[in-house]
Amino acid sequence: MNATARLDRTLAALADPHRRQVVELLRERPRRAGELAEAAGLSPPAMSRHLRTLRASGLVEERHDGFDARVRVYRLTPAPMTELTEWLRETEEMWADQLSAFRKHMLARGDAA
Amino acid sequence: MNATARLDRTLAALADPHRRQVVELLRERPRRAGELAEAAGLSPPAMSRHLRTLRASGLVEERHDGFDARVRVYRLTPAPMTELTEWLRETEEMWADQLSAFRKHMLARGDAA
DNA sequence: TTAATATTTAACGCATATGTGAACTATATC
DNA sequence: GATATAGTTCACATATGCGTTAAATATTAA
């Protein structure tokens, strides 16, 4: 999968408020699927699908609990967000350059910055 | 509009590859609607709708050209991306804390980090 | 071995997003 | 004034996303 498609999936995954809530919960600590469903006020099937989407985007990973194999524990995997952060940084950097060039232009004209 | 809804719109706007391409083009310099349509290989109506979405998310703004009032020039407005960057920063920060806590835990147990 | 638990998958309905061609608005050019 | 140009909006078809309930899977507990 190329970088564009990965950014697509990452952004689409984070565009849903329930999934973003999951990320916020998982950034504190790993949690069980059922715990996430309850915290988000969603039915288990609904949460299961969100978790599938998050898994497909690479934002979270699933593990089986050591004691009770029915339980699935989800945890954050930061790589996709790092890639997104990098894209945003480049965009903002470019904009900052553009802005400073604009200011320089204005100063050269004698206008106030 | 609250922060969650704004993040929603920003992320949804950026989740489309054509719209992200528009942002990438605009981070170089402002451009005309028609120029963006051609660059993205889209029909004018399709691009017009993407631009409406980007406008609604606050990522771009539209201005009328000074010489030819038919022409609409689009430019980037960075505020929404700043907010998104902030959200990502918090998330990654939390994850870094978690990782360092995990390493500390492992070190305390005498395992290799 | 039967029943309960944790989670996922399947089938369905509904809302929303995307692209296309046709029609519309506003402005410029001849 | 007639026509061309830049861009948008409309109407339509198709596709995708989200939630719900019912059923299936796997595992633990009684």
Side-chain angles (χ1 to χ4, degrees):
Chain A
M1 190 163 56
N2 59 57
T4 300
R6 269 201 309 277
L7 269 177
D8 254 35
R9 285 192 149 185
T10 304
L11 285 159
L14 293 176
D16 181 275
H18 285 138
R19 287 195 291 264
R20 223 159 47 245
Q21 188 182 358
V22 167
V23 170
E24 285 171 10
L25 289 165
L26 292 186
R27 75 188 184 188
E28 289 172 22
R29 58 182 159 80
R31 296 179 196 251
R32 304 167 34 160
E35 189 185 351
L36 293 167
E38 194 176 0
L42 285 178
S43 67
M47 178 52 73
S48 184
R49 271 173 69 145
H50 284 304
L51 291 171
R52 185 204 288 198
T53 303
L54 286 166
R55 238 184 292 131
S57 76
L59 279 164
V60 310
E61 67 183 22
E62 174 212 83
R63 291 192 192 169
H64 285 268
D65 186 84
F67 296 99
D68 187 338
R70 290 171 301 180
V71 171
R72 316 217 183 162
V73 177
Y74 283 87
R75 67 180 60 217
L76 220 54
T77 44
M81 276 195 287
T82 302
E83 190 170 11
L84 173 55
T85 299
E86 179 59 15
W87 187 84
L88 283 167
R89 197 190 58 72
E90 284 169 22
T91 299
E92 288 179 330
E93 195 173 276
M94 188 86 60
W95 191 87
D97 290 353
Q98 201 179 312
L99 184 65
S100 73
F102 175 74
R103 286 205 174 116
K104 213 173 291 177
H105 173 68
M106 283 310 186
L107 285 169
R109 281 184 36 181
D111 296 346
Chain B
M1 190 165 52
N2 59 57
T4 300
R6 271 201 308 276
L7 269 177
D8 254 35
R9 285 193 148 184
T10 304
L11 286 159
L14 292 177
D16 180 276
H18 285 138
R19 286 194 291 265
R20 218 159 50 247
Q21 188 182 356
V22 167
V23 170
E24 286 171 10
L25 288 165
L26 293 186
R27 75 188 184 187
E28 290 172 22
R29 57 182 160 81
R31 297 180 194 249
R32 304 166 35 158
E35 189 184 350
L36 293 168
E38 194 176 0
L42 285 178
S43 66
M47 178 52 74
S48 184
R49 271 170 65 138
H50 283 304
L51 290 171
R52 184 205 288 198
T53 302
L54 286 166
R55 238 183 292 131
S57 75
L59 280 164
V60 309
E61 66 183 23
E62 175 211 82
R63 291 192 192 169
H64 286 268
D65 186 85
F67 296 100
D68 186 338
R70 288 173 302 180
V71 171
R72 316 217 182 162
V73 178
Y74 283 87
R75 66 180 60 218
L76 220 53
T77 45
M81 277 194 286
T82 302
E83 190 169 13
L84 173 54
T85 299
E86 179 60 15
W87 186 84
L88 284 167
R89 199 190 57 70
E90 285 170 21
T91 298
E92 288 178 330
E93 195 174 277
M94 187 85 61
W95 192 86
D97 290 352
Q98 199 179 314
L99 183 65
S100 73
F102 175 73
R103 286 203 174 115
K104 213 173 292 178
H105 173 67
M106 283 311 186
L107 285 169
R109 282 183 37 182
D111 296 345

